[in-house]
C-alpha cells in the first residue's frame, strides 16, 4: 500500500463516498498536505462539497482563548445545515502535535460548550450517515517512536492492509451463543464478563439507515461487544502505554467489581470511565506500541472504559452510557480468551493467536 492506495481506501472503504455527497474533514494543520490530497481525491471521486475543519489552527485557538461559548451557536447552525445535507465525516488523527497550552478554565469552558454539539455525534452513532477515523503520520510522532516519518507511514499502511482472521470468523463466534467471556494474561489480567442476552460481536464495518456500508475505523481489525455493565469482575493490566491528556501512563492496573472500576482515581481518569463499556477481541498482531488509541487498539485485545457502542444490542439499560470512551490494551503474546455458553466452554484466543475450539460440552 502507498499514499494513493491509502487515500483511496479511506474514500471507498472508509466512508464509501456516494456521488454528490458532502464531506467534512477534521484534522491537524500539521497534516495539511495530506488533508489537501484527500480533499482533491474526494472531489475526483464525486464529492459535491468538502469542508476542512482544522482542529488546532489559529481559528480554533481564537475560539478556545476567547471562550468557545461565544462561537457555539454559529457551530450549531453550521452542523444543522450539514446534517440537512446528510454530510459524512472523515477524522484524520495524529499524535504529539498540540503545542497550544490552555488554562484549565478555558478547557473546561470549551468542553462544556461542546456538549451542545452532542447531536452531531448522535447523528453518526444513530447511523444516519457515514463516519470514518484514520491516522496520518507526522515527524514529531515518529520521533517519539524513534523512527522516521516515512517508517511510521509504512506502519500505518501495514496495519490498514492486514487481514484479520477474527473478522473472517465473526459469524462463527456469534453462532456460539456465548453468555460469558473470560480473559487471562501472564501480566496479571484476570477478567470475567457477563454478556447481554441479545449481544452480538460487531466490527467497525457498519451500515447506515440508508443502506450504505462503511468502515468506522481505519485500521479495523477488532471484533467487539458491550458487556452487561453490572456483571464484570476482576483485574486488568495494560500491555501497552496509554497516552492520556498529554501524558504517557504505563503499567495500568485496574480492579473491577460489579462492572465498576474501584481505583479509577489512581490514574486521574475521568469519572466517565467508571464502568466497562467494551470488550475488543483480536489476535495479538504486534507487541509494538504507537501511543495511538486507534492503532494500538487494532493490534491486540483491549478493554474499553466508559461509553458502550450499542450496535446490535437492544438491552440498552444493561450497557454503559457515558460521554466518552477510553481503550486500555491488555493483549500480548500470552493472552488467552475463553467463551462460555450454558453448556460449553470454548477457547477463542490461545497464546495471542485466534483458535475458536470447544474445550468441553
Amino acid at each position: 500500500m502507498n499514499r494513493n492506495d491509502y487515500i483511496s481506501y479511506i474514500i471507498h472503504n472508509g466512508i464509501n463516498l456516494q456521488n454528490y455527497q458532502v464531506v467534512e474533514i477534521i484534522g491537524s494543520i500539521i497534516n495539511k498536505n495530506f488533508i489537501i490530497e484527500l480533499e482533491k481525491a474526494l472531489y475526483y471521486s464525486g464529492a459535491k462539497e468538502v469542508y476542512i475543519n482544522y482542529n488546532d489552527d489559529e481559528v480554533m485557538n481564537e475560539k478556545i482563548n476567547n471562550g468557545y461559548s461565544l462561537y457555539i451557536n454559529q457551530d450549531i447552525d453550521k452542523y444543522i445545515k450539514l446534517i440537512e445535507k446528510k454530510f459524512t465525516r472523515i477524522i484524520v488523527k495524529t499524535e504529539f502535535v498540540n503545542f497550544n497550552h490552555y488554562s484549565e478554565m478555558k478547557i473546561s469552558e470549551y468542553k462544556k460548550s461542546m456538549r451542545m454539539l452532542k447531536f452531531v455525534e448522535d447523528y453518526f452513532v444513530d447511523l444516519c450517515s457515514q463516519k470514518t477515523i484514520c491516522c496520518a503520520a507526522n515527524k514529531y510522532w515518529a520521533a517519539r517512536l524513534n523512527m522516521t516519518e516515512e517508517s511510521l507511514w509504512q506502519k500505518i499502511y501495514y496495519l490498514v492492509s492486514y487481514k484479520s482472521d477474527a473478522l473472517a470468523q465473526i459469524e462463527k463466534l456469534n453462532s456460539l451463543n456465548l453468555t460469558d467471556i473470560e480473559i487471562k494474561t501472564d501480566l496479571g489480567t484476570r477478567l470475567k464478563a457477563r454478556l447481554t442476552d441479545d449481544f452480538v460481536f460487531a466490527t467497525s464495518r457498519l451500515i447506515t439507515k440508508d443502506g450504505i456500508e462503511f468502515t468506522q475505523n481505519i485500521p479495523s481489525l477488532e471484533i467487539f461487544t458491550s458487556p452487561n455493565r453490572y456483571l464484570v469482575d476482576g483485574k486488568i493490566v495494560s500491555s501497552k502505554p496509554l497516552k492520556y491528556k498529554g501524558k504517557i501512563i504505563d503499567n495500568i492496573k485496574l480492579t473491577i467489581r460489579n462492572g465498576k472500576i474501584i481505583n479509577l482515581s489512581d490514574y486521574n481518569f475521568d469519572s466517565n470511565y467508571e464502568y466497562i463499556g467494551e470488550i475488543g477481541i483480536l489476535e495479538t498482531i504486534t507487541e509494538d506500541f504507537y501511543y495511538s488509541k486507534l492503532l494500538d487498539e487494532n493490534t491486540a485485545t483491549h478493554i474499553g472504559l466508559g461509553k458502550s457502542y450499542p450496535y446490535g444490542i437492544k438491552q440498552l439499560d444493561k450497557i454503559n452510557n457515558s460521554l466518552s470512551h477510553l481503550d486500555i490494551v491488555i493483549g500480548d503474546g500470552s493472552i488467552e480468551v475463553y467463551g462460555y455458553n450454558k453448556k460449553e466452554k470454548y477457547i477463542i484466543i490461545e497464546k495471542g493467536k485466534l483458535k475458536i475450539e470447544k474445550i468441553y460440552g
Side-chain angles (χ1 to χ4, degrees):
M1 178 176 280
N2 57 30
R3 179 71 61 84
N4 290 335
D5 292 334
Y6 182 47
I7 288 174
S8 178
Y9 190 92
I10 293 167
I11 294 171
H12 301 293
N13 293 75
I15 60 169
N16 188 11
L17 180 71
Q18 307 296 295
N19 281 335
Y20 305 112
Q21 198 160 24
V22 175
V23 184
E24 179 191 40
I25 305 173
I26 298 177
S28 169
I29 192 73
I30 204 167
N31 290 128
K32 183 176 181 179
N33 290 340
F34 174 76
I35 288 172
I36 289 174
E37 288 180 54
L38 181 56
E39 177 193 26
K40 290 178 180 178
L42 283 163
Y43 277 122
Y44 183 80
S45 299
K48 181 180 180 181
E49 298 171 278
V50 179
Y51 297 89
I52 298 177
N53 182 1
Y54 293 114
N55 54 15
D56 59 357
D57 64 352
E58 291 181 4
V59 173
M60 181 57 70
N61 292 340
E62 181 182 335
K63 285 184 175 182
I64 294 177
N65 283 321
N66 291 344
Y68 191 63
S69 60
L70 298 175
Y71 303 87
I72 188 65
N73 289 332
Q74 173 186 329
D75 283 352
I76 288 172
D77 290 341
K78 177 183 75 173
Y79 282 111
I80 287 173
K81 291 175 182 176
L82 283 174
I83 287 174
E84 288 173 353
K85 295 179 179 182
K86 304 206 75 171
F87 83 111
T88 182
R89 174 182 277 177
I90 299 172
I91 299 175
V92 180
K93 301 283 285 185
T94 198
E95 304 294 339
F96 300 105
V97 297
N98 190 359
F99 304 115
N100 303 305
H101 299 284
Y102 307 111
S103 69
E104 287 295 325
M105 183 181 71
K106 292 297 183 184
I107 293 172
S108 178
E109 288 177 0
Y110 172 68
K111 288 183 176 180
K112 184 177 180 180
S113 297
M114 280 293 291
R115 291 175 190 156
M116 297 177 69
L117 291 176
K118 185 177 181 295
F119 71 94
V120 184
E121 186 61 29
D122 291 342
Y123 165 77
F124 291 111
V125 170
D126 292 340
L127 298 176
C128 297
S129 188
Q130 316 99 280
K131 180 185 80 170
T132 197
I133 305 173
C134 59
C135 280
N138 74 74
K139 62 181 180 181
Y140 304 104
W141 183 10
R144 290 296 295 264
L145 295 170
N146 295 315
M147 62 176 68
T148 65
E149 186 175 349
E150 181 56 31
S151 295
L152 180 53
W153 274 115
Q154 292 303 319
K155 293 282 188 180
I156 294 170
Y157 300 156
Y158 169 75
L159 291 174
V160 171
S161 59
Y162 187 91
K163 304 300 181 184
S164 169
D165 288 340
L167 298 179
Q169 297 292 331
I170 191 167
E171 289 186 13
K172 181 178 180 180
L173 281 167
N174 279 326
S175 72
L176 301 181
N177 298 316
L178 300 179
T179 58
D180 297 85
I181 292 288
E182 181 180 14
I183 304 174
K184 299 179 180 180
T185 71
D186 288 351
L187 290 173
T189 292
R190 297 288 186 274
L191 190 75
K192 292 185 178 180
R194 174 67 50 88
L195 304 176
T196 63
D197 293 342
D198 62 349
F199 98 96
V200 292
F201 283 116
T203 73
S204 287
R205 189 69 178 170
L206 301 171
I207 303 176
T208 70
K209 290 179 177 179
D210 292 333
I212 302 170
E213 290 191 34
F214 69 102
T215 302
Q216 184 172 233
N217 292 335
I218 299 173
S220 176
L221 300 172
E222 64 170 322
I223 60 171
F224 63 89
T225 193
S226 297
N228 186 316
R229 63 174 289 187
Y230 304 106
L231 299 175
V232 184
D233 292 277
K235 177 182 179 180
I236 61 173
V237 180
S238 65
S239 59
K240 300 189 180 188
L242 171 71
K243 187 164 79 70
Y244 178 72
K245 292 186 176 180
K247 297 180 179 179
I248 304 300
I249 309 175
D250 209 348
N251 197 30
I252 298 168
K253 297 178 180 178
L254 298 174
T255 301
I256 303 101
R257 293 178 187 163
N258 300 320
K260 189 173 183 178
I261 299 167
I262 64 171
N263 61 325
L264 198 71
S265 61
D266 290 354
Y267 303 94
N268 294 315
F269 288 150
D270 191 281
S271 60
N272 279 307
Y273 306 131
E274 282 185 327
Y275 287 88
I276 300 298
E278 177 203 20
I279 299 174
I281 296 175
L282 67 161
E283 59 189 330
T284 302
I285 295 168
T286 176
E287 296 194 29
D288 293 341
F289 58 86
Y290 300 97
Y291 299 130
S292 162
K293 172 183 178 292
L294 181 55
L295 295 186
D296 287 331
E297 72 170 5
N298 279 284
T299 60
T301 294
H302 56 272
I303 300 297
L305 315 184
K307 183 179 179 64
S308 292
Y309 297 106
Y311 305 124
I313 295 176
K314 297 182 176 62
Q315 292 182 304
L316 300 183
D317 59 320
K318 298 287 183 68
I319 62 176
N320 197 32
N321 183 22
S322 295
L323 291 174
S324 49
H325 182 94
L326 181 68
D327 289 306
I328 308 293
V329 180
I330 60 173
D332 62 3
S334 73
I335 190 167
E336 295 189 346
V337 180
Y338 300 92
Y340 300 81
N341 60 28
K342 293 180 179 179
K343 296 180 179 179
E344 301 158 325
K345 178 180 179 179
Y346 291 84
I347 186 161
I348 298 172
I349 293 178
E350 183 177 48
K351 301 298 181 186
K353 300 296 183 183
L354 191 74
K355 194 167 185 178
I356 316 182
E357 288 185 5
K358 185 162 66 174
I359 297 175
Y360 68 73

